[in-house]
Each structure stands twice: as structure tokens, then as C-alpha cells.
Amino acid sequence: MKQFLLSLAGLFAICLVSIASPVQAQGFVRADHKQIVDTKGNPLILRGLGLGGWMVQEGYMMGLSNLKAQHIIRHRISEIIGRKKTEQFYRSWRDNAVTKADIDAMAKWGFNSVRLPMHWNLFIKTMPGHKTNGRMVWNEEGFRRVDALVGWLKANGMYLILDLHAAPGGQGHDIAISDRNPNSPSLWDSHVNQAAMIALWSEIARRYKDEPTIAGYDLLNEPNWGFQDSHDKGGCRETGNAPLHDLYERTIRAIRAIDKNHMLIIEGNCWGNNYAGVLPIADSNTALSFHKYWTPTTQESIEPFLKLREQYDMPLWNGESGENTNDWYIRAVALQEKNGIGWSWWPLKKIGRGNPLEIKENANYRRLTAYLHGEGKKPSAKDVFAGLMQLARDSRFDRNIHHQGVIDALLGASRVSGAPN
């Protein structure tokens, strides 16, 4: 999550072309030129929280920023307690970290949407191969959890944005975000991985094409890759972005062959900030998502994105922001809503402060993290397993530390402004 808000003026020399328009179904959130509108066609400001850490654990969210990626954390844990008990912990974590109580609370607080970061391996069990007759074998756990989440949100009149946070192979050099293994082909180095991403979105479209609780499909979280220059690790100096544009177009065609209802959301290179060569996209029901961290809360700070909204006649959505102070939150939300931009704050909960909910660490877990930081002796397998299972239980809503000040900072500005819901 190393986002950088670029000054994009002058980078875009692409002329606006006519954009194909899919047939619109009634009853779905959609992109209507420069606005996101609700099922009745009224302007909609999405005010949401991201469920980061539930399906994809970034190291810093677990007090293990030194290990970065989930697969590394998982491997180090399994070295101590074994694979079977490691899987038991992760399943308990997924059972507890997000439940109906979390969604009910978000609705009560005043949020109207949730962004779900998805890990491909919770949806794809086996890639196509000789043992599968060339077919993808789906992992039903991911879909089962999405189904449950849809039900909780529907009961509260809230929306869901599905976000492919960890794509097959991984979409960037920042490995914590996408759980990328640098020793294996990336998303960009493998036609198989790209085909798997497209197949996954096609399957999501097949299963959810008639579900209006889902507001949109966020096709690829924070790509960060230098296509023209391998030294440009984050893709912030990229001026072409041809592989990213091509993958978006192929994914959109596959989705639209099945699902003409849902709004699509695209993110630029450089952690969702560099759109050179990415636009235009040949689909009118598409929104542009930028991510904003640690940058000024001035009109000038979002001006490059406002210009893109005007140039390409498409709505903006701030898909990620956060990890800052309450004062910054107040100013950032006010800035965005003044400009008609919805947002999703990152995250709902993690180990550490700065978010609405905080997961408590226990003594055994602290001994594990100290060891994994190289700062303590190796704890026993029994203590590590006990600490992990307690951490999973403590990830539940009723065991979290609640930070009402964060909630007030995020929603206070919208209550005062009277912006549309």
C-alpha cells in the first residue's frame, strides 16, 4: 500500500473516442456519465469501508510488516505448528474476522457500502491442466463467503464492491498487496495467469449478474509494474501501460458477454494513480478509482483526477484511503464529497490503531511476532497455536476495540454536507 498521488497533468495526450454502451438493466448502481447513480438514477455517494485483512493479510496489518506477504507469513507459521494447524487458524480467522455483526454495525454507524478485497486462491481451486480436462476448478469457499456477505448487506440496504486484490500471479512488485511470490511468474509474465483472472471475473459475472446488492466489480487492485522500464518498479513513470489497458479490455469483453448490469471499476498503474495509456476504456458503465494516502487534502491534490473525469466523461471513486489521523480523515472526506466523489476507507479493522475497529494482540501472539521479527526466542508450537486461535477469536466484532472517533471523523462531514446517500 505504498500509494503516491502523482501530478498527472501533461501525461495524457489521448483523444477521447466514442465509448460503447452496454444495455443497462434497471435496478443496478451504474456509471451515468460523470456520476455514480443508484437504482433510481439519483446521484449516489458511496461511503464505505474496506474489509482488508480478511481474505488477504498484508503483513503490516498482522504486526508483521517485515514479512510483507501472506504466503510468507503462512509459511513461517507452518514451520512452527505444521500445515494442518496453520490451515485451522486461517479458517478460524475467516470465520471470525468478518461476520454479520460487523455489517450490522457499519449500517448503524451510517456507512452504505463495503469493498471486499478478494484473494484468487479462495475462488480458484485448480488452474486448468491435464488432470482437470482443461477446466478451471472453482474453490467454493470464496463464493460461499461472498454469498453470506451479500445477504448481510442486503438485509441492511447496503452495497458491495468486489475487489480483486490478489490476482493470479500477483499484479505488482509491492508483494504485500497481492501476495505475489517473486519466484513464480507474475500476472504480467504469464498468459495462464491472465486467462485465470479473466475466467474468475467471468465466473463472478455468471453467478452474480442479477444481484443488485453488488454495486460494481473493481477489476484489479493497485497494479504497480514498470512495463517499459524494469527499474520503474511501481510503474509511476510509465507512459504506455499497454499490457494493463489490454488486460482491462479483454476482461471487460468477457464480463459483458455475460453481465451487462454491473458497473465496472478500473485502477491505474502506480497503485491506482497513473492512467497514462489506460484510458479510454470502451465501456460506458465504468468508473475510475484512484487511491489517496498521505497527501494534502487540497483541491489541487485531486485536480488531475477531476480532469480525467471531465475528459473521459466517467465518474470517480476513491477506492482506498486511510492510515492517517482523524483530522486528516475529516478534511479528506470533505474534499471528496464536495467534488461529488464517494470513498471506501482502509480498513475496517486490523492489529493497530487508525481504523474503526482494532484487533487485540495476546501474549502468545506477541511472542510469535517478536520471534518472526528476530527479536525473541522461538516459542513452543503449543503456545503459538494457542495465540493464533485466540487472535482469530479476538478478531470478532464483539471482541474488538472500538474507535468511535474514527467513525465520527469519516461520517461527520457527510452528515453536515447533506450529500446524497
Side-chain angles (χ1 to χ4, degrees):
M1 289 201 347
K2 303 287 191 265
Q3 293 79 2
F4 302 91
L5 184 61
L6 302 179
S7 175
L8 299 180
L11 284 179
F12 303 95
I14 303 171
C15 296
L16 180 63
V17 299
S18 60
I19 297 177
S21 176
V23 176
Q24 298 290 346
Q26 297 298 314
F28 288 82
V29 170
R30 67 183 188 277
D32 183 10
H33 298 281
K34 299 177 184 67
Q35 290 184 317
I36 293 174
V37 299
D38 65 14
T39 59
K40 296 180 180 179
N42 299 315
L44 173 66
I45 297 292
L46 292 168
R47 302 183 178 103
L49 295 169
L51 301 180
W54 186 35
M55 291 187 172
V56 187
Q57 291 179 344
E58 297 181 33
Y60 85 99
M61 305 178 82
M62 305 299 291
L64 291 167
S65 56
N66 60 312
L67 299 185
K68 298 182 179 180
Q70 177 175 279
H71 73 274
I72 300 174
I73 298 170
R74 187 178 183 122
H75 174 70
R76 294 297 305 277
I77 291 173
S78 68
E79 287 181 325
I80 303 172
I81 65 173
R83 291 185 179 181
K84 184 176 180 180
K85 288 186 175 179
T86 300
E87 176 53 34
Q88 187 177 343
F89 158 66
Y90 274 94
R91 188 167 293 275
S92 180
W93 175 270
R94 293 192 294 268
D95 287 343
N96 287 285
V98 176
T99 67
K100 183 176 183 294
D102 293 283
I103 305 305
D104 290 346
M106 280 187 262
K108 183 179 179 180
W109 294 334
F111 295 98
N112 64 11
S113 56
V114 163
R115 179 174 179 252
L116 173 63
M118 302 181 297
H119 196 304
W120 71 268
N121 65 17
L122 286 176
F123 297 85
I124 299 174
K125 188 173 184 179
T126 307
M127 295 284 201
H130 66 280
K131 293 183 179 180
T132 64
N133 296 321
R135 296 194 306 271
M136 192 84 73
V137 178
W138 302 113
N139 184 348
E140 292 300 325
E141 182 186 353
F143 293 106
R144 175 174 58 82
R145 294 189 186 277
V146 170
D147 291 344
L149 185 57
V150 166
W152 302 335
L153 291 164
K154 188 189 294 286
N156 283 292
M158 298 172 70
Y159 295 112
L160 174 63
I161 296 93
L162 297 177
D163 150 43
L164 185 54
H165 213 78
Q171 65 268 27
H173 288 288
D174 192 342
I175 67 172
I177 295 169
S178 62
D179 194 27
R180 185 172 80 87
N181 184 348
N183 297 317
S184 300
S186 73
L187 176 67
W188 311 112
D189 297 323
S190 167
H191 294 297
V192 171
N193 287 336
Q194 292 181 23
M197 172 181 154
I198 295 170
L200 174 55
W201 277 118
S202 298
E203 182 65 10
I204 289 170
R206 185 186 70 79
R207 294 186 187 223
Y208 300 111
K209 65 183 187 303
D210 297 319
E211 180 49 72
T213 299
I214 297 176
Y217 304 152
D218 191 346
L219 300 183
L220 189 63
N221 178 71
E222 292 187 351
N224 53 100
W225 200 269
F227 300 112
Q228 296 168 319
D229 179 2
S230 61
H231 297 291
D232 178 23
K233 297 295 186 181
C236 298
R237 299 191 301 272
E238 182 75 25
T239 59
N241 283 312
L244 179 58
H245 176 87
D246 174 69
L247 183 58
Y248 278 147
E249 291 286 9
R250 288 187 287 134
T251 304
I252 290 170
R253 285 196 297 270
I255 291 171
R256 288 298 183 226
I258 302 166
D259 181 350
K260 295 179 172 59
N261 296 329
H262 283 103
M263 179 175 68
L264 307 180
I265 300 166
I266 61 168
E267 303 184 27
N269 205 343
C270 188
W271 295 272
N273 289 288
N274 181 355
Y275 282 88
V278 176
L279 300 172
I281 290 291
D283 186 276
S284 64
N285 192 14
T286 298
L288 182 154
S289 172
F290 67 98
H291 291 186
K292 183 178 177 62
Y293 287 90
W294 318 311
T295 56
T297 55
T298 61
Q299 186 73 14
E300 291 76 18
S301 71
I302 63 170
E303 194 62 36
F305 301 110
L306 298 176
K307 290 179 179 178
L308 291 176
R309 179 169 68 181
E310 291 298 317
Q311 182 178 0
Y312 294 102
D313 193 32
M314 62 194 305
L316 295 176
W317 177 59
N318 179 12
E320 272 190 36
S321 189
E323 306 293 12
N324 214 308
T325 65
N326 288 350
D327 177 67
W328 191 90
Y329 294 170
I330 292 169
R331 288 182 281 110
V333 168
L335 169 69
Q336 288 160 64
E337 296 208 5
K338 180 182 72 173
N339 287 279
I341 301 170
W343 43 269
S344 178
W345 235 247
W346 183 269
L348 167 65
K349 65 177 74 172
K350 69 175 188 297
I351 294 173
R353 307 187 70 176
N355 25 273
L357 302 175
E358 179 181 350
I359 301 171
K360 296 178 291 187
E361 294 180 277
N362 59 78
N364 280 325
Y365 186 73
R366 283 194 294 269
R367 281 190 281 270
L368 170 63
T369 57
Y371 169 70
L372 295 177
H373 276 286
E375 299 169 354
K377 66 178 183 178
K378 182 178 180 179
S380 70
K382 179 181 178 181
D383 287 347
V384 169
F385 184 63
L388 287 167
M389 295 305 288
Q390 183 174 339
L391 186 74
R393 292 190 295 271
D394 287 343
S395 70
R396 291 184 66 86
F397 174 79
D398 59 352
R399 292 174 177 248
N400 296 158
I401 301 169
H402 292 225
H403 295 293
Q404 186 63 41
V406 176
I407 298 165
D408 291 341
L410 292 174
L411 294 175
S414 62
R415 293 186 183 118
V416 171
S417 69
N421 293 318

